[in-house]
Amino acid sequence: QKEVEQNSGPLSVPEGAIASLNCTYSDRGSQSFFWYRQYSGKSPELIMSIYSNGDKEDGRFTAQLNKASQYVSLLIRDSQPSDSATYLCAARTGGFKTIFGAGTRLFVKA
Amino acid sequence: GAGVSQSPSNKVTEKGKDVELRCDPISGHTALYWYRQSLGQGLEFLIYFQGNSAPDKSGLPSDRFSAERTGGSVSTLTIQRTQQEDSAVYLCASSVLDGNYGYTFGSGTRLTVV
């Protein structure tokens, strides 16, 4: 069973702090990894993708990938209340479907 | 269209009835996916269409579920003899190529079986 595991949270951080979200995946054949943000009652929205080991930065977001440890993370710098949402980690398998984790709920306190 | 369009947005049906959910992907997106999300849960893969290839149906939970994609565009997910455990949000997504650059999701259909 190919899985993506995330801590369900909630993770609570004060406004302006760094939020760190983590996930592990079981399929060593996975090559593409994604972070989606899902606001309550809304559908997921792609915010980051990462394909190679190391860091990828986009504005306040940094995705980190370590394939040897099968570990993906998302850092959100200068967290804002508007970042409060559920963050879904996802891994694309060799079979072309993407497996999603159950998500981590993030609360940013003003 | 500008985005992935799903209809209806909400559907309440009686146990045992059949339902059809529709998805119209972004124009030019060759790949189309159906997922479902139960309350407080992650996304469960159901089925994947890519161009004219045979669909990957490995996620369909039972033979009551079926889906088709006509003309490489619009897709319909059909659930026969609905059960209460089918209650969930059904999400459709589309992507260029084979999803290696992530998906764009529709707004979903909230299905409630009473």
PDB file of all heavy atoms in Angstrom, chain A residues 56-89:
ATOM      1  N   LYS A  56      13.505  24.247  -2.582  1.00  0.00           N
ATOM      2  CA  LYS A  56      12.926  25.057  -3.662  1.00  0.00           C
ATOM      3  C   LYS A  56      12.120  26.159  -3.003  1.00  0.00           C
ATOM      4  O   LYS A  56      11.228  25.890  -2.203  1.00  0.00           O
ATOM      5  CB  LYS A  56      12.037  24.200  -4.565  1.00  0.00           C
ATOM      6  CG  LYS A  56      11.386  24.992  -5.689  1.00  0.00           C
ATOM      7  CD  LYS A  56      10.491  24.099  -6.528  1.00  0.00           C
ATOM      8  CE  LYS A  56       9.789  24.887  -7.626  1.00  0.00           C
ATOM      9  NZ  LYS A  56       8.874  24.016  -8.408  1.00  0.00           N
ATOM     10  N   GLU A  57      12.446  27.400  -3.349  1.00  0.00           N
ATOM     11  CA  GLU A  57      11.811  28.542  -2.709  1.00  0.00           C
ATOM     12  C   GLU A  57      10.886  29.259  -3.682  1.00  0.00           C
ATOM     13  O   GLU A  57      11.202  29.414  -4.865  1.00  0.00           O
ATOM     14  CB  GLU A  57      12.889  29.518  -2.209  1.00  0.00           C
ATOM     15  CG  GLU A  57      12.368  30.679  -1.410  1.00  0.00           C
ATOM     16  CD  GLU A  57      13.509  31.525  -0.837  1.00  0.00           C
ATOM     17  OE1 GLU A  57      14.509  30.945  -0.383  1.00  0.00           O
ATOM     18  OE2 GLU A  57      13.385  32.764  -0.851  1.00  0.00           O
ATOM     19  N   ASP A  58       9.741  29.693  -3.166  1.00  0.00           N
ATOM     20  CA  ASP A  58       8.795  30.491  -3.953  1.00  0.00           C
ATOM     21  C   ASP A  58       8.124  31.455  -3.002  1.00  0.00           C
ATOM     22  O   ASP A  58       7.219  31.078  -2.254  1.00  0.00           O
ATOM     23  CB  ASP A  58       7.762  29.588  -4.631  1.00  0.00           C
ATOM     24  CG  ASP A  58       6.818  30.372  -5.529  1.00  0.00           C
ATOM     25  OD1 ASP A  58       6.949  31.618  -5.641  1.00  0.00           O
ATOM     26  OD2 ASP A  58       5.925  29.739  -6.142  1.00  0.00           O
ATOM     27  N   GLY A  59       8.616  32.696  -2.988  1.00  0.00           N
ATOM     28  CA  GLY A  59       8.064  33.687  -2.068  1.00  0.00           C
ATOM     29  C   GLY A  59       8.304  33.290  -0.625  1.00  0.00           C
ATOM     30  O   GLY A  59       9.444  33.007  -0.242  1.00  0.00           O
ATOM     31  N   ARG A  60       7.243  33.234   0.167  1.00  0.00           N
ATOM     32  CA  ARG A  60       7.383  32.861   1.583  1.00  0.00           C
ATOM     33  C   ARG A  60       7.437  31.349   1.792  1.00  0.00           C
ATOM     34  O   ARG A  60       7.605  30.893   2.919  1.00  0.00           O
ATOM     35  CB  ARG A  60       6.209  33.451   2.378  1.00  0.00           C
ATOM     36  CG  ARG A  60       6.168  34.961   2.415  1.00  0.00           C
ATOM     37  CD  ARG A  60       5.081  35.487   3.344  1.00  0.00           C
ATOM     38  NE  ARG A  60       3.734  35.129   2.900  1.00  0.00           N
ATOM     39  CZ  ARG A  60       2.940  34.265   3.550  1.00  0.00           C
ATOM     40  NH1 ARG A  60       3.362  33.660   4.643  1.00  0.00           N
ATOM     41  NH2 ARG A  60       1.733  34.015   3.087  1.00  0.00           N
ATOM     42  N   PHE A  61       7.277  30.583   0.734  1.00  0.00           N
ATOM     43  CA  PHE A  61       7.232  29.126   0.839  1.00  0.00           C
ATOM     44  C   PHE A  61       8.559  28.494   0.389  1.00  0.00           C
ATOM     45  O   PHE A  61       9.150  28.911  -0.602  1.00  0.00           O
ATOM     46  CB  PHE A  61       6.111  28.555  -0.045  1.00  0.00           C
ATOM     47  CG  PHE A  61       4.733  29.015   0.344  1.00  0.00           C
ATOM     48  CD1 PHE A  61       4.109  30.041  -0.355  1.00  0.00           C
ATOM     49  CD2 PHE A  61       4.059  28.436   1.392  1.00  0.00           C
ATOM     50  CE1 PHE A  61       2.840  30.474  -0.006  1.00  0.00           C
ATOM     51  CE2 PHE A  61       2.785  28.850   1.752  1.00  0.00           C
ATOM     52  CZ  PHE A  61       2.181  29.877   1.048  1.00  0.00           C
ATOM     53  N   THR A  62       9.018  27.505   1.161  1.00  0.00           N
ATOM     54  CA  THR A  62      10.165  26.690   0.766  1.00  0.00           C
ATOM     55  C   THR A  62       9.787  25.228   0.920  1.00  0.00           C
ATOM     56  O   THR A  62       9.375  24.803   2.000  1.00  0.00           O
ATOM     57  CB  THR A  62      11.397  26.986   1.630  1.00  0.00           C
ATOM     58  OG1 THR A  62      11.786  28.351   1.460  1.00  0.00           O
ATOM     59  CG2 THR A  62      12.565  26.086   1.229  1.00  0.00           C
ATOM     60  N   ALA A  63       9.930  24.488  -0.161  1.00  0.00           N
ATOM     61  CA  ALA A  63       9.733  23.035  -0.099  1.00  0.00           C
ATOM     62  C   ALA A  63      11.099  22.374  -0.015  1.00  0.00           C
ATOM     63  O   ALA A  63      12.061  22.832  -0.636  1.00  0.00           O
ATOM     64  CB  ALA A  63       8.978  22.536  -1.328  1.00  0.00           C
ATOM     65  N   GLN A  64      11.178  21.298   0.758  1.00  0.00           N
ATOM     66  CA  GLN A  64      12.422  20.568   0.927  1.00  0.00           C
ATOM     67  C   GLN A  64      12.161  19.093   0.654  1.00  0.00           C
ATOM     68  O   GLN A  64      11.144  18.551   1.088  1.00  0.00           O
ATOM     69  CB  GLN A  64      12.964  20.745   2.354  1.00  0.00           C
ATOM     70  CG  GLN A  64      13.255  22.194   2.710  1.00  0.00           C
ATOM     71  CD  GLN A  64      13.637  22.361   4.177  1.00  0.00           C
ATOM     72  OE1 GLN A  64      13.032  21.772   5.055  1.00  0.00           O
ATOM     73  NE2 GLN A  64      14.669  23.171   4.421  1.00  0.00           N
ATOM     74  N   LEU A  65      13.090  18.468  -0.066  1.00  0.00           N
ATOM     75  CA  LEU A  65      12.941  17.058  -0.417  1.00  0.00           C
ATOM     76  C   LEU A  65      14.211  16.303  -0.079  1.00  0.00           C
ATOM     77  O   LEU A  65      15.310  16.744  -0.425  1.00  0.00           O
ATOM     78  CB  LEU A  65      12.627  16.913  -1.908  1.00  0.00           C
ATOM     79  CG  LEU A  65      12.592  15.500  -2.493  1.00  0.00           C
ATOM     80  CD1 LEU A  65      11.518  14.640  -1.833  1.00  0.00           C
ATOM     81  CD2 LEU A  65      12.367  15.565  -4.003  1.00  0.00           C
ATOM     82  N   ASN A  66      14.056  15.153   0.561  1.00  0.00           N
ATOM     83  CA  ASN A  66      15.168  14.251   0.847  1.00  0.00           C
ATOM     84  C   ASN A  66      14.714  12.856   0.439  1.00  0.00           C
ATOM     85  O   ASN A  66      13.981  12.191   1.182  1.00  0.00           O
ATOM     86  CB  ASN A  66      15.530  14.297   2.330  1.00  0.00           C
ATOM     87  CG  ASN A  66      16.731  13.430   2.658  1.00  0.00           C
ATOM     88  OD1 ASN A  66      16.917  12.352   2.082  1.00  0.00           O
ATOM     89  ND2 ASN A  66      17.559  13.875   3.583  1.00  0.00           N
ATOM     90  N   LYS A  67      15.103  12.417  -0.748  1.00  0.00           N
ATOM     91  CA  LYS A  67      14.630  11.132  -1.265  1.00  0.00           C
ATOM     92  C   LYS A  67      15.228   9.960  -0.497  1.00  0.00           C
ATOM     93  O   LYS A  67      14.584   8.924  -0.364  1.00  0.00           O
ATOM     94  CB  LYS A  67      14.951  11.006  -2.746  1.00  0.00           C
ATOM     95  CG  LYS A  67      14.134  11.940  -3.620  1.00  0.00           C
ATOM     96  CD  LYS A  67      14.405  11.696  -5.092  1.00  0.00           C
ATOM     97  CE  LYS A  67      13.554  12.630  -5.954  1.00  0.00           C
ATOM     98  NZ  LYS A  67      13.813  12.415  -7.403  1.00  0.00           N
ATOM     99  N   ALA A  68      16.440  10.115   0.006  1.00  0.00           N
ATOM    100  CA  ALA A  68      17.049   9.014   0.768  1.00  0.00           C
ATOM    101  C   ALA A  68      16.244   8.719   2.028  1.00  0.00           C
ATOM    102  O   ALA A  68      16.054   7.555   2.403  1.00  0.00           O
ATOM    103  CB  ALA A  68      18.496   9.362   1.119  1.00  0.00           C
ATOM    104  N   SER A  69      15.736   9.768   2.661  1.00  0.00           N
ATOM    105  CA  SER A  69      14.924   9.609   3.874  1.00  0.00           C
ATOM    106  C   SER A  69      13.437   9.546   3.564  1.00  0.00           C
ATOM    107  O   SER A  69      12.636   9.363   4.485  1.00  0.00           O
ATOM    108  CB  SER A  69      15.193  10.775   4.832  1.00  0.00           C
ATOM    109  OG  SER A  69      16.560  10.837   5.193  1.00  0.00           O
ATOM    110  N   GLN A  70      13.066   9.725   2.287  1.00  0.00           N
ATOM    111  CA  GLN A  70      11.662   9.702   1.860  1.00  0.00           C
ATOM    112  C   GLN A  70      10.855  10.716   2.660  1.00  0.00           C
ATOM    113  O   GLN A  70       9.814  10.392   3.252  1.00  0.00           O
ATOM    114  CB  GLN A  70      11.100   8.276   1.984  1.00  0.00           C
ATOM    115  CG  GLN A  70      11.811   7.316   1.052  1.00  0.00           C
ATOM    116  CD  GLN A  70      11.332   5.879   1.199  1.00  0.00           C
ATOM    117  OE1 GLN A  70      12.101   5.010   1.597  1.00  0.00           O
ATOM    118  NE2 GLN A  70      10.104   5.640   0.870  1.00  0.00           N
ATOM    119  N   TYR A  71      11.342  11.933   2.624  1.00  0.00           N
ATOM    120  CA  TYR A  71      10.839  12.991   3.497  1.00  0.00           C
ATOM    121  C   TYR A  71      10.667  14.266   2.690  1.00  0.00           C
ATOM    122  O   TYR A  71      11.538  14.652   1.912  1.00  0.00           O
ATOM    123  CB  TYR A  71      11.882  13.193   4.607  1.00  0.00           C
ATOM    124  CG  TYR A  71      11.581  14.246   5.631  1.00  0.00           C
ATOM    125  CD1 TYR A  71      10.864  13.940   6.773  1.00  0.00           C
ATOM    126  CD2 TYR A  71      12.065  15.539   5.471  1.00  0.00           C
ATOM    127  CE1 TYR A  71      10.620  14.899   7.737  1.00  0.00           C
ATOM    128  CE2 TYR A  71      11.822  16.507   6.433  1.00  0.00           C
ATOM    129  CZ  TYR A  71      11.104  16.167   7.567  1.00  0.00           C
ATOM    130  OH  TYR A  71      10.865  17.122   8.514  1.00  0.00           O
ATOM    131  N   VAL A  72       9.515  14.899   2.881  1.00  0.00           N
ATOM    132  CA  VAL A  72       9.219  16.175   2.213  1.00  0.00           C
ATOM    133  C   VAL A  72       8.747  17.154   3.282  1.00  0.00           C
ATOM    134  O   VAL A  72       8.014  16.749   4.198  1.00  0.00           O
ATOM    135  CB  VAL A  72       8.097  16.014   1.161  1.00  0.00           C
ATOM    136  CG1 VAL A  72       7.981  17.261   0.294  1.00  0.00           C
ATOM    137  CG2 VAL A  72       8.316  14.792   0.299  1.00  0.00           C
ATOM    138  N   SER A  73       9.143  18.391   3.166  1.00  0.00           N
ATOM    139  CA  SER A  73       8.662  19.378   4.127  1.00  0.00           C
ATOM    140  C   SER A  73       8.302  20.682   3.417  1.00  0.00           C
ATOM    141  O   SER A  73       8.707  20.921   2.279  1.00  0.00           O
ATOM    142  CB  SER A  73       9.705  19.636   5.210  1.00  0.00           C
ATOM    143  OG  SER A  73      10.850  20.239   4.668  1.00  0.00           O
ATOM    144  N   LEU A  74       7.522  21.484   4.110  1.00  0.00           N
ATOM    145  CA  LEU A  74       7.133  22.809   3.626  1.00  0.00           C
ATOM    146  C   LEU A  74       7.349  23.797   4.755  1.00  0.00           C
ATOM    147  O   LEU A  74       6.835  23.587   5.866  1.00  0.00           O
ATOM    148  CB  LEU A  74       5.671  22.824   3.192  1.00  0.00           C
ATOM    149  CG  LEU A  74       5.149  24.168   2.694  1.00  0.00           C
ATOM    150  CD1 LEU A  74       5.758  24.531   1.340  1.00  0.00           C
ATOM    151  CD2 LEU A  74       3.610  24.164   2.590  1.00  0.00           C
ATOM    152  N   LEU A  75       8.118  24.844   4.477  1.00  0.00           N
ATOM    153  CA  LEU A  75       8.315  25.924   5.435  1.00  0.00           C
ATOM    154  C   LEU A  75       7.555  27.152   4.942  1.00  0.00           C
ATOM    155  O   LEU A  75       7.641  27.502   3.761  1.00  0.00           O
ATOM    156  CB  LEU A  75       9.793  26.266   5.581  1.00  0.00           C
ATOM    157  CG  LEU A  75      10.730  25.142   6.039  1.00  0.00           C
ATOM    158  CD1 LEU A  75      12.171  25.641   6.061  1.00  0.00           C
ATOM    159  CD2 LEU A  75      10.315  24.640   7.410  1.00  0.00           C
ATOM    160  N   ILE A  76       6.817  27.766   5.845  1.00  0.00           N
ATOM    161  CA  ILE A  76       6.123  29.011   5.530  1.00  0.00           C
ATOM    162  C   ILE A  76       6.713  30.090   6.417  1.00  0.00           C
ATOM    163  O   ILE A  76       6.565  30.047   7.649  1.00  0.00           O
ATOM    164  CB  ILE A  76       4.604  28.900   5.766  1.00  0.00           C
ATOM    165  CG1 ILE A  76       4.023  27.697   5.002  1.00  0.00           C
ATOM    166  CG2 ILE A  76       3.903  30.185   5.333  1.00  0.00           C
ATOM    167  CD1 ILE A  76       2.540  27.441   5.302  1.00  0.00           C
ATOM    168  N   ARG A  77       7.417  31.037   5.809  1.00  0.00           N
ATOM    169  CA  ARG A  77       8.034  32.123   6.571  1.00  0.00           C
ATOM    170  C   ARG A  77       7.031  33.265   6.750  1.00  0.00           C
ATOM    171  O   ARG A  77       6.109  33.431   5.942  1.00  0.00           O
ATOM    172  CB  ARG A  77       9.277  32.637   5.845  1.00  0.00           C
ATOM    173  CG  ARG A  77      10.441  31.674   5.831  1.00  0.00           C
ATOM    174  CD  ARG A  77      11.647  32.291   5.101  1.00  0.00           C
ATOM    175  NE  ARG A  77      11.304  32.607   3.716  1.00  0.00           N
ATOM    176  CZ  ARG A  77      11.270  31.700   2.753  1.00  0.00           C
ATOM    177  NH1 ARG A  77      11.518  30.430   3.016  1.00  0.00           N
ATOM    178  NH2 ARG A  77      10.962  32.068   1.529  1.00  0.00           N
ATOM    179  N   ASP A  78       7.244  34.036   7.835  1.00  0.00           N
ATOM    180  CA  ASP A  78       6.382  35.197   8.098  1.00  0.00           C
ATOM    181  C   ASP A  78       4.910  34.784   7.988  1.00  0.00           C
ATOM    182  O   ASP A  78       4.128  35.373   7.231  1.00  0.00           O
ATOM    183  CB  ASP A  78       6.712  36.333   7.121  1.00  0.00           C
ATOM    184  CG  ASP A  78       6.001  37.623   7.456  1.00  0.00           C
ATOM    185  OD1 ASP A  78       5.634  37.828   8.624  1.00  0.00           O
ATOM    186  OD2 ASP A  78       5.781  38.439   6.523  1.00  0.00           O
ATOM    187  N   SER A  79       4.540  33.762   8.727  1.00  0.00           N
ATOM    188  CA  SER A  79       3.172  33.218   8.641  1.00  0.00           C
ATOM    189  C   SER A  79       2.129  34.295   8.906  1.00  0.00           C
ATOM    190  O   SER A  79       2.290  35.139   9.805  1.00  0.00           O
ATOM    191  CB  SER A  79       3.005  32.075   9.653  1.00  0.00           C
ATOM    192  OG  SER A  79       3.841  30.987   9.335  1.00  0.00           O
ATOM    193  N   GLN A  80       1.055  34.241   8.129  1.00  0.00           N
ATOM    194  CA  GLN A  80      -0.046  35.191   8.246  1.00  0.00           C
ATOM    195  C   GLN A  80      -1.330  34.451   8.607  1.00  0.00           C
ATOM    196  O   GLN A  80      -1.479  33.269   8.272  1.00  0.00           O
ATOM    197  CB  GLN A  80      -0.236  35.924   6.919  1.00  0.00           C
ATOM    198  CG  GLN A  80       0.980  36.694   6.449  1.00  0.00           C
ATOM    199  CD  GLN A  80       1.346  37.798   7.422  1.00  0.00           C
ATOM    200  OE1 GLN A  80       0.493  38.595   7.806  1.00  0.00           O
ATOM    201  NE2 GLN A  80       2.606  37.822   7.849  1.00  0.00           N
ATOM    202  N   PRO A  81      -2.272  35.106   9.252  1.00  0.00           N
ATOM    203  CA  PRO A  81      -3.549  34.445   9.548  1.00  0.00           C
ATOM    204  C   PRO A  81      -4.208  33.846   8.302  1.00  0.00           C
ATOM    205  O   PRO A  81      -4.884  32.814   8.383  1.00  0.00           O
ATOM    206  CB  PRO A  81      -4.393  35.569  10.163  1.00  0.00           C
ATOM    207  CG  PRO A  81      -3.387  36.459  10.809  1.00  0.00           C
ATOM    208  CD  PRO A  81      -2.192  36.439   9.891  1.00  0.00           C
ATOM    209  N   SER A  82      -3.977  34.467   7.150  1.00  0.00           N
ATOM    210  CA  SER A  82      -4.552  33.950   5.906  1.00  0.00           C
ATOM    211  C   SER A  82      -3.921  32.623   5.465  1.00  0.00           C
ATOM    212  O   SER A  82      -4.429  31.959   4.552  1.00  0.00           O
ATOM    213  CB  SER A  82      -4.411  34.975   4.783  1.00  0.00           C
ATOM    214  OG  SER A  82      -3.038  35.288   4.579  1.00  0.00           O
ATOM    215  N   ASP A  83      -2.806  32.246   6.109  1.00  0.00           N
ATOM    216  CA  ASP A  83      -2.196  30.943   5.811  1.00  0.00           C
ATOM    217  C   ASP A  83      -2.895  29.806   6.557  1.00  0.00           C
ATOM    218  O   ASP A  83      -2.599  28.625   6.323  1.00  0.00           O
ATOM    219  CB  ASP A  83      -0.714  30.944   6.202  1.00  0.00           C
ATOM    220  CG  ASP A  83       0.132  31.894   5.372  1.00  0.00           C
ATOM    221  OD1 ASP A  83      -0.177  32.065   4.175  1.00  0.00           O
ATOM    222  OD2 ASP A  83       1.085  32.466   5.932  1.00  0.00           O
ATOM    223  N   SER A  84      -3.795  30.141   7.467  1.00  0.00           N
ATOM    224  CA  SER A  84      -4.520  29.111   8.232  1.00  0.00           C
ATOM    225  C   SER A  84      -5.359  28.273   7.275  1.00  0.00           C
ATOM    226  O   SER A  84      -6.255  28.792   6.584  1.00  0.00           O
ATOM    227  CB  SER A  84      -5.415  29.762   9.288  1.00  0.00           C
ATOM    228  OG  SER A  84      -4.643  30.467  10.226  1.00  0.00           O
ATOM    229  N   ALA A  85      -5.036  26.982   7.206  1.00  0.00           N
ATOM    230  CA  ALA A  85      -5.672  26.073   6.253  1.00  0.00           C
ATOM    231  C   ALA A  85      -5.154  24.676   6.545  1.00  0.00           C
ATOM    232  O   ALA A  85      -4.322  24.476   7.440  1.00  0.00           O
ATOM    233  CB  ALA A  85      -5.319  26.464   4.804  1.00  0.00           C
ATOM    234  N   THR A  86      -5.627  23.716   5.785  1.00  0.00           N
ATOM    235  CA  THR A  86      -5.061  22.371   5.827  1.00  0.00           C
ATOM    236  C   THR A  86      -4.102  22.217   4.660  1.00  0.00           C
ATOM    237  O   THR A  86      -4.437  22.583   3.526  1.00  0.00           O
ATOM    238  CB  THR A  86      -6.166  21.303   5.748  1.00  0.00           C
ATOM    239  OG1 THR A  86      -6.995  21.408   6.908  1.00  0.00           O
ATOM    240  CG2 THR A  86      -5.570  19.899   5.704  1.00  0.00           C
ATOM    241  N   TYR A  87      -2.907  21.704   4.946  1.00  0.00           N
ATOM    242  CA  TYR A  87      -1.884  21.543   3.914  1.00  0.00           C
ATOM    243  C   TYR A  87      -1.738  20.059   3.607  1.00  0.00           C
ATOM    244  O   TYR A  87      -1.449  19.244   4.497  1.00  0.00           O
ATOM    245  CB  TYR A  87      -0.567  22.169   4.378  1.00  0.00           C
ATOM    246  CG  TYR A  87      -0.661  23.671   4.388  1.00  0.00           C
ATOM    247  CD1 TYR A  87      -1.271  24.338   5.442  1.00  0.00           C
ATOM    248  CD2 TYR A  87      -0.205  24.432   3.315  1.00  0.00           C
ATOM    249  CE1 TYR A  87      -1.417  25.708   5.442  1.00  0.00           C
ATOM    250  CE2 TYR A  87      -0.334  25.811   3.299  1.00  0.00           C
ATOM    251  CZ  TYR A  87      -0.951  26.441   4.365  1.00  0.00           C
ATOM    252  OH  TYR A  87      -1.108  27.797   4.356  1.00  0.00           O
ATOM    253  N   LEU A  88      -1.937  19.721   2.344  1.00  0.00           N
ATOM    254  CA  LEU A  88      -1.888  18.337   1.882  1.00  0.00           C
ATOM    255  C   LEU A  88      -0.566  18.081   1.170  1.00  0.00           C
ATOM    256  O   LEU A  88      -0.209  18.804   0.231  1.00  0.00           O
ATOM    257  CB  LEU A  88      -3.041  18.054   0.912  1.00  0.00           C
ATOM    258  CG  LEU A  88      -4.455  18.319   1.416  1.00  0.00           C
ATOM    259  CD1 LEU A  88      -5.456  18.143   0.276  1.00  0.00           C
ATOM    260  CD2 LEU A  88      -4.803  17.387   2.551  1.00  0.00           C
ATOM    261  N   CYS A  89       0.143  17.072   1.606  1.00  0.00           N
ATOM    262  CA  CYS A  89       1.355  16.616   0.937  1.00  0.00           C
ATOM    263  C   CYS A  89       0.954  15.525  -0.050  1.00  0.00           C
ATOM    264  O   CYS A  89       0.051  14.715   0.238  1.00  0.00           O
ATOM    265  CB  CYS A  89       2.320  16.067   1.978  1.00  0.00           C
ATOM    266  SG  CYS A  89       3.823  15.325   1.328  1.00  0.00           S
TER     267      CYS A  89
END
